[in-house]
Structures are given as structure tokens and as C-alpha cells.
Amino acid sequence: MKRIESTKNPQVKQWKKLLTKKEREKTGLFIIEGFHLVEEALKSGVHIVEIVLDEKKEILSNWNVDNIPITLVTEEIMKAISDTETPQGIAAVCKQFTYEQIDWGKANVLLIDAVQDPGNVGTMIRTADAAGIDAVILGEGCVDLYNPKVIRATQGSLFHLPIIRGNLREWIQTLKEQQVHIYGTALENGEDYKQVEPKEPFALLVGNEGSGVNKDLLQLTTRNLYIPIYGKSESLNVAVATGILLYYLRG
Amino acid sequence: MKRIESTKNPQVKQWKKLLTKKEREKTGLFIIEGFHLVEEALKSGVHIVEIVLDEKKEILSNWNVDNIPITLVTEEIMKAISDTETPQGIAAVCKQFTYEQIDWGKANVLLIDAVQDPGNVGTMIRTADAAGIDAVILGEGCVDLYNPKVIRATQGSLFHLPIIRGNLREWIQTLKEQQVHIYGTALENGEDYKQVEPKEPFALLVGNEGSGVNKDLLQLTTRNLYIPIYGKSESLNVAVATGILLYYLRG
């Protein structure tokens, strides 16, 4: 096993760089942290390029890591390459996802437009997974899927279902051609979601924390829904709204 | 108007201390930040002891602050007493809430057991507000209501409905005596929530992010519900689960 002791080692700098979107896009790699996430990655079949392990920690005995290079490092190095204040002592470098063809005519899909808070996007992916959604499509204005805070908030769900980055306008057209019902979410000119009978397959389109879904996209949907506000708050958190609607629509 | 220029001024230290739970409990005060929250506080009738304003900022012209002492401070002081990295330039010291008697026999209530993440508790209060819930009761194991991160995540909803800190065992007894339906949430031995016909008034009891609701409390409920997980995630975020159930139960 390789062993690195200095935080100045070029390899350490390389890992650290993966905390930036620029480097992730350049290399097609991303980094995950913590025993739970690495275990989920191992189970998922994602390509793990290497594992970085605090020299005082151990790989779990039931993990199959025979073909994965492992580098032992100091606690200090682990901190340097970590996005958290108290790293668990394990990280893994993975290849970004590619997906095989999906039968879109049978899939329930979550479309996310310009949601920028990493905790929200991660929680939305976790929620889509829980609700049994078949794929998530992240529009161009969203926070980067491989942002460490997004990954953490998914609690492993990013390894459970296809998450695709793409142009939402094009995706809505594609799904419509497959007879998928496209439900937008809107505060104005929408229908109370409880008045709408759920139909599958569906795509739910949710949007930015402040401004909601882009108005041009709402023109392309089958129907636009809203969740009534009965009290005095101005809105719901976008991940909470996503949970309410996904669980309603899946019947 | 009073004016303070040094971060070493004892008044600055006093404000800063309100970022700690200990000081908040000692004084019965709490501090809020940002124009939106101060505006919500002004509208709500909460007792505002004083306003602290960045000398480069101005009070909004439609605010009625005639009877509230205002202290002008430097940007540096504003940063020192702020919980955020980029403070908006206004803060207010408020008295902690007291509530008049509520007719519990007619109230829909959210009971929160030992939820420790401030973002979750704040989002749950915001969600309860949106769903038109009449009161929130925070059990003893919850993060402090007046924690700045809780307040921020409520987006002002903490000023919209009564939030009471108390013993959940006692509260469940009180509500039961008033014929309120108590719905616990459980991963085991619960009923699929969609199989349960909602009845009002109700109290929804939700629990800790990792361990769920305390088992002893679940013995005291009318029924225990669960939200099915259709995919591969282990659970839902507690604020998302709260949203799904509150919007289902309120009919």
C-alpha cells in the first residue's frame, strides 16, 4: 500500500483540487467522504479509482476492495482534502456517472430547475430515491451534482438512481413525445395539487428557491400545480415541496 | 441615536453573548438578523428591546420603530455579533416568547422530539406555518429554538405561530384529554399513512434524525404512521417527512 505523510505531496494537492467544480469537470472525477458513502459507492458499481484512508483507520472487513488502489495518509492530510470539519478518515475518488438508455415512456422523473443550495439538491435526490422515482434530471442552473455538500445531503442516494445533467427544455420535449405527464410547479395560475388526479408516468418540474421554475419552461408542461399555503409563511422549502408532490403523484 | 465604534465596547460583547444558549437562557432574550426577520418581528408584536444598525444602512421608511432604541455600529461590529459570514447590516434583540392560552381541543399541533439539526427544526417550523398548523411544541431534546440557525431557517415563521418548549409526555396527555388525535411516526409497527383517514384536530409527533421518535412516546399515541420508502434510500429527511404528513393530515 502506498503511504503519504506530507500535505505538500502533489497527490494531496490533486485530491484537494477535486473539491472544486473546475477540476471535477476537467478530470471527470469526483471525491466522496465517509464510510457510509464509500460503502454505497462500492455496492453501486460506480468506478472507484482509488481509496484514501487515514492510517489509523481500517477498511471494513466485508468490503470487496481487491482491485482498488488504497493510499494511507495522516490525519492532517485527511483534513486537508476534506470538505468537513471532522473527517471520518476515509475518502474515495470516483468516475462521474454515465447511464445506459432508460425507457422514458415508463419512467417517473424529477426535473430540477436552477436549485442552487447544495443541501436542497442533495435532499431532493434523497427524496426522489425514497419516493421510487426512476431518474433525476438536473437543469443547467443547478449547483454541481458532485459538490461535496450535495453528495453528503443525498446520504448515498446519488448512487441509487440515474442523475443526469441536461437542458430541461429538451428533456421536457423528449418526455412529452413519450406521453409522460409533465407537472410543473407554480405559485400563480396553477391548480391546487390535491384537485389533480395523479397520472403515471409523470415528470415533476420544480424550481429555484427564490424565483421558482423558469416561466418559459412552465409553458411547456401538461399542467402546473401549486401547494396551498394555509398559514403566514411565504413559501415552502423546495425539498419539502418536492416531497409533498412526489408522494402525492406516485399514488 | 447611540453610536458604538469599538468592538471592545461591553455592549458589543453583550450582543455577541446572545449567540450562546447559556446567555439566552440567563437573559430571556434572543437576537435576530436581517431586514426580513426584523420586519417580521415588528409585524408580529414580539417585544423588541433594541435594534442594532450598520451606520451605512437605513431603517425602512414604512417601519414603525418610534419606541425602539436604535444603536448605530460599524460594519466590523455587525460582523462580530453576527452568526453569518455576510451580515445584512441589521439585528434586533427580542424578548423570548410567552403565549396566551390556546384552545387545545381545536388545535392542530406539531410535536417535535429531539430533532437536533437547526436547519431541520427551522424548516419544520416554516412547514408547519405553511400547512396552517396552530402550534409547534419542541420537546426537551431539541436544538434551542432561539439558535440563530434555527431562526434563519424558519424564514420568519417563528413569529407566525406559537412555539412552545415543553415535556412531550405531558403534552401528549393534555392533548389526549382534549380528544386530539395523536399520530406518531414510526418505521416499525406503523401504518402506511395513506391507509389512514385524516381526522382533525390532530397532533403529529415526529422525531430525531437518526433514531426517530422515542419509543416510550410512541406508546402514548392514538396511531403510528410511516411513510413507505419505495426506492433504496434508508429514510427521508425529517423536515421532508413532516411536510408530507402535515399536508396529508390536514385534508
Side-chain angles (χ1 to χ4, degrees):
Chain A
M1 250 181 256
K2 212 163 75 176
R3 204 165 175 290
I4 297 181
E5 287 188 347
S6 163
T7 53
K8 291 191 179 124
N9 186 299
Q11 180 62 69
V12 175
K13 285 187 189 154
Q14 192 53 41
W15 289 325
K16 218 169 152 178
K17 272 192 187 166
L18 287 176
L19 297 177
T20 69
K21 185 179 173 187
K22 192 179 162 194
E23 185 70 11
R24 290 192 298 266
E25 295 199 336
K26 199 174 108 187
T27 57
L29 301 173
F30 67 105
I31 191 161
I32 59 173
E33 268 190 74
F35 284 88
H36 176 66
L37 276 174
V38 175
E39 187 163 38
E40 292 282 338
L42 284 164
K43 279 195 273 182
S44 75
V46 70
H47 184 132
I48 302 180
V49 178
E50 61 179 325
I51 288 176
V52 186
L53 187 69
D54 184 327
E55 56 195 357
K56 289 182 190 134
K57 305 275 173 160
E58 277 175 28
I59 296 287
L60 273 68
S61 58
N62 60 342
W63 286 8
N64 180 1
V65 292
D66 291 350
N67 300 312
I68 304 173
I70 300 176
T71 305
L72 294 179
V73 299
T74 61
E75 202 182 328
E76 200 190 352
I77 291 177
M78 211 70 223
K79 267 201 179 156
I81 66 170
S82 169
D83 180 60
T84 61
E85 279 175 33
T86 50
Q88 287 183 34
I90 191 165
V93 176
C94 308
K95 277 206 179 152
Q96 296 187 10
F97 308 133
T98 54
Y99 294 102
E100 294 174 33
Q101 199 54 43
I102 291 169
D103 183 353
W104 294 107
K106 292 179 182 166
N108 290 333
V109 181
L110 175 65
L111 307 171
I112 306 181
D113 176 36
V115 175
Q116 282 156 356
D117 180 82
N120 282 341
V121 169
T123 304
M124 289 158 86
I125 291 170
R126 177 181 173 194
T127 305
D129 179 11
I133 297 304
D134 299 293
V136 174
I137 298 171
L138 286 181
E140 286 153 357
C142 289
V143 60
D144 181 30
L145 167 61
Y146 300 105
N147 176 308
K149 290 188 182 69
V150 173
I151 296 175
R152 201 154 57 239
T154 70
Q155 300 224 346
S157 287
L158 87 159
F159 297 119
H160 298 165
L161 74 172
I163 305 163
I164 298 163
R165 296 184 287 181
N167 178 294
L168 292 183
R169 175 176 285 273
E170 291 168 14
W171 273 102
I172 291 172
Q173 294 299 356
T174 304
L175 292 169
K176 265 176 136 172
E177 285 161 17
Q178 302 283 329
Q179 320 300 330
V180 173
H181 301 267
I182 317 280
Y183 297 109
T185 49
L187 276 178
E188 287 165 25
N189 305 321
E191 301 171 79
D192 181 341
Y193 75 100
K194 282 194 184 173
Q195 307 303 322
V196 173
E197 202 192 330
K199 285 190 180 153
E200 299 187 64
F202 67 81
L204 176 68
L205 168 62
V206 294
N208 178 269
E209 292 90 344
S211 56
V213 174
N214 178 302
K215 288 215 170 67
D216 293 343
L217 294 177
L218 288 181
Q219 304 282 337
L220 307 175
T221 56
T222 319
R223 306 176 84 152
N224 291 322
L225 313 179
Y226 77 87
I227 303 176
I229 301 291
Y230 300 102
K232 286 180 261 178
S233 77
E234 286 168 17
S235 62
L236 283 159
N237 167 277
V238 66
V240 173
T242 300
I244 293 169
L245 292 174
L246 286 182
Y247 268 84
Y248 179 78
L249 290 171
R250 81 172 318 284
Chain B
M1 253 182 254
K2 214 164 72 178
R3 204 165 175 291
I4 296 180
E5 289 188 347
S6 162
T7 53
K8 291 190 179 125
N9 187 299
Q11 181 63 68
V12 176
K13 285 186 189 155
Q14 192 53 41
W15 289 326
K16 217 170 154 177
K17 272 192 186 167
L18 287 176
L19 297 177
T20 69
K21 185 178 173 188
K22 192 178 161 194
E23 185 70 10
R24 291 192 297 266
E25 295 200 335
K26 200 174 107 187
T27 57
L29 301 172
F30 66 106
I31 191 161
I32 59 174
E33 267 190 75
F35 283 88
H36 176 66
L37 276 173
V38 174
E39 186 163 38
E40 292 283 337
L42 283 164
K43 279 196 273 181
S44 76
V46 71
H47 184 132
I48 302 179
V49 179
E50 60 180 326
I51 288 175
V52 186
L53 187 69
D54 183 328
E55 58 194 356
K56 289 181 191 136
K57 304 276 174 160
E58 275 175 29
I59 296 288
L60 273 69
S61 58
N62 60 342
W63 287 8
N64 179 1
V65 293
D66 291 348
N67 299 310
I68 303 173
I70 300 176
T71 304
L72 294 179
V73 299
T74 61
E75 202 181 328
E76 199 189 354
I77 291 177
M78 212 71 221
K79 267 203 179 154
I81 66 169
S82 169
D83 180 58
T84 61
E85 279 175 35
T86 49
Q88 287 185 31
I90 191 164
V93 176
C94 308
K95 276 204 180 155
Q96 297 188 8
F97 308 132
T98 53
Y99 294 103
E100 293 174 35
Q101 199 55 44
I102 291 169
D103 184 352
W104 294 108
K106 292 179 183 165
N108 290 334
V109 181
L110 175 65
L111 307 171
I112 306 181
D113 176 36
V115 175
Q116 282 157 355
D117 179 83
N120 281 342
V121 168
T123 304
M124 289 157 85
I125 291 169
R126 177 180 173 195
T127 305
D129 180 12
I133 297 303
D134 299 293
V136 174
I137 298 171
L138 285 181
E140 286 153 357
C142 289
V143 62
D144 183 30
L145 168 61
Y146 300 106
N147 176 309
K149 291 188 182 69
V150 173
I151 296 175
R152 199 153 59 239
T154 71
Q155 300 223 346
S157 287
L158 87 160
F159 296 120
H160 299 163
L161 74 172
I163 304 163
I164 299 164
R165 297 184 287 181
N167 178 294
L168 292 182
R169 174 176 287 274
E170 290 168 13
W171 272 102
I172 291 172
Q173 294 299 356
T174 303
L175 293 168
K176 265 175 135 172
E177 283 160 18
Q178 301 284 328
Q179 319 300 329
V180 173
H181 301 267
I182 318 278
Y183 296 108
T185 47
L187 275 180
E188 289 165 22
N189 305 319
E191 300 171 79
D192 181 342
Y193 75 100
K194 281 195 184 171
Q195 306 305 321
V196 173
E197 202 193 326
K199 285 190 180 154
E200 300 187 64
F202 67 82
L204 175 68
L205 169 61
V206 294
N208 177 270
E209 291 91 346
S211 56
V213 174
N214 179 301
K215 288 215 170 66
D216 293 344
L217 294 177
L218 288 181
Q219 304 282 338
L220 306 174
T221 56
T222 319
R223 306 176 85 155
N224 291 322
L225 314 178
Y226 76 88
I227 303 176
I229 301 290
Y230 299 102
K232 286 182 262 178
S233 78
E234 286 167 16
S235 63
L236 283 158
N237 167 277
V238 65
V240 173
T242 299
I244 293 169
L245 292 173
L246 287 181
Y247 267 85
Y248 179 78
L249 290 171
R250 81 170 318 284

